[in-house]
Amino acid sequence: MILDESYFTYGDFDSEKYDLIFGHVNTSELANMAGQIGTLSIFNKRNKAIYYINDDYSNSPVSFEAEIVTLCATPLEDIDAYEIEKAIFNKRGYRKLYVKGQSKFAIIDEHDSYLNCRLINPSRIYSSRDQVIGFRFTVECDSLMFWQDPTEITYTLNHTTTSQQSNITVKVDSDLDDYIYPKITVTMGNDGGDLTIINNTDDSTRLTKFVDLSSNLIIIVNGVNNTVSGQNYEKMANRNFVRLLPGSNGFTIKGEVKTIKYEFQNRKYI
């Protein structure tokens, strides 16, 4: 697993300060590439076959037992053990856990991916001389995979009329075979007017359309929580929020658009 023999950061905590790496004393290597998903299906009695409907992610967030130990089993000072426990365990809310590399002797930068998680229910790991050399705990994640830091892609279109349109491509490098809902920021031109966004790779008839937008407006359309900035939700004629598929997404952008920015997060196997 990518965590093994690795330094890490968790929120503001940096494990290198205490020479702590992920390891195994009483735990086993996590073999799963992702959390477990279920299948939503329907059984057809006529032909005695099951038909797939969708995936069920409700029980998919990853949870596993992990251990961190000092690199050479060097005993921790009591004050250091206390500082570690206070800094990382049983915190309220999720924090970002970044892997820093395969120990300090072979650094591999994995800082673009992280587990959004809580480290809970800790216990101390002792040496044969009853000295603290590490900790065992549960890693409780909010997702079935690693998150990647947000990808931001900006296109400068400089359309000068409401009828002008451009075709652009947004590439998504996600291991999750499902839709990703981006946050889209559009800067309109001097006359404003209508705005249409179409992901032709998804469905060319599924329009995200606004009418009569203000001049020089900056509008934010957030598909993660289905919100539109300002009072512009009322101007949304086709209330379909943009969604992305893994791979290349071919878009048509129509309207007096100066710039359009896509922000989204890929998912990666553990």
Side-chain angles (χ1 to χ4, degrees):
M1 185 192 176
I2 197 170
L3 296 180
D4 292 349
E5 300 181 8
S6 300
Y7 288 110
F8 64 94
T9 61
Y10 181 66
D12 296 329
F13 178 84
D14 189 338
S15 73
E16 280 195 81
K17 178 181 177 181
Y18 303 94
D19 221 18
L20 284 170
I21 61 171
F22 279 96
H24 298 291
V25 178
N26 297 306
T27 57
S28 301
E29 180 179 352
L30 180 65
N32 292 343
M33 297 171 59
Q36 301 298 305
I37 64 174
T39 301
L40 299 176
S41 61
I42 187 171
F43 182 74
N44 188 327
K45 295 181 179 179
R46 184 177 296 274
N47 64 352
K48 299 178 177 59
I50 293 177
Y51 290 86
Y52 167 86
I53 298 176
N54 208 339
D55 289 325
D56 180 6
Y57 295 101
S58 58
N59 296 313
S60 68
V62 173
S63 180
F64 60 94
E65 298 299 307
E67 291 168 315
I68 52 176
V69 293
T70 54
L71 185 61
C72 297
T74 304
L76 290 164
E77 298 289 339
D78 289 343
I79 185 63
D80 289 339
Y82 172 74
E83 286 180 354
I84 294 165
E85 292 165 352
K86 185 178 179 181
I88 67 176
F89 295 128
N90 295 331
K91 311 309 288 185
R92 298 177 67 181
Y94 298 105
R95 298 186 180 187
K96 295 178 181 180
L97 174 66
Y98 287 94
V99 178
K100 294 184 70 175
Q102 303 289 333
S103 87
K104 67 180 180 182
F105 300 112
I107 296 297
I108 300 174
D109 188 8
E110 296 289 347
H111 277 70
D112 62 339
S113 298
Y114 64 90
L115 293 173
N116 204 37
C117 61
R118 300 181 68 216
L119 311 183
I120 60 175
N121 304 326
S123 59
R124 291 181 169 185
I125 299 173
Y126 291 92
S127 70
S128 58
R129 297 183 178 182
D130 291 330
Q131 296 169 306
V132 178
I133 59 171
F135 305 90
R136 178 175 178 174
F137 50 91
T138 300
V139 180
E140 184 181 79
C141 303
D142 73 341
S143 171
L144 76 164
M145 292 180 174
F146 274 110
W147 294 90
Q148 271 195 341
D149 285 335
T151 296
E152 295 186 8
I153 305 172
T154 301
Y155 292 89
T156 301
L157 305 183
N158 286 330
H159 292 177
T160 56
T161 66
T162 56
S163 62
Q164 193 171 350
Q165 67 180 41
S166 294
N167 295 320
I168 61 175
T169 300
V170 177
K171 293 184 178 180
V172 175
D173 182 24
S174 179
D175 293 334
L176 182 63
D177 189 23
D178 205 343
Y179 290 114
I180 291 178
Y181 290 85
K183 180 172 77 171
I184 295 178
T185 303
V186 179
T187 302
M188 299 297 292
N190 294 330
D191 295 325
D194 296 352
L195 166 66
T196 304
I197 305 172
I198 309 170
N199 185 349
N200 299 295
T201 304
D202 177 20
D203 183 350
S204 60
T205 65
R206 186 179 183 275
L207 311 181
T208 302
K209 185 173 182 178
F210 294 84
V211 296
D212 196 27
L213 294 176
S214 302
S215 61
N216 299 309
L217 175 71
I218 298 177
I219 180 173
I220 300 173
V221 184
N222 194 336
V224 175
N225 52 20
N226 286 359
T227 59
V228 180
S229 61
Q231 303 299 316
N232 296 295
Y233 185 78
E234 300 174 358
K235 299 182 179 182
M236 200 172 183
N238 295 77
R239 293 182 174 174
N240 300 313
F241 285 83
V242 175
R243 57 193 188 188
L244 303 171
L245 288 166
S248 295
N249 293 258
F251 278 88
T252 298
I253 311 298
K254 184 178 180 180
E256 194 188 11
V257 176
K258 290 181 180 178
T259 63
I260 182 168
K261 179 172 73 172
Y262 293 76
E263 298 176 69
F264 58 91
Q265 287 186 269
N266 293 313
R267 305 289 187 93
K268 289 295 179 180
Y269 283 124
I270 297 171

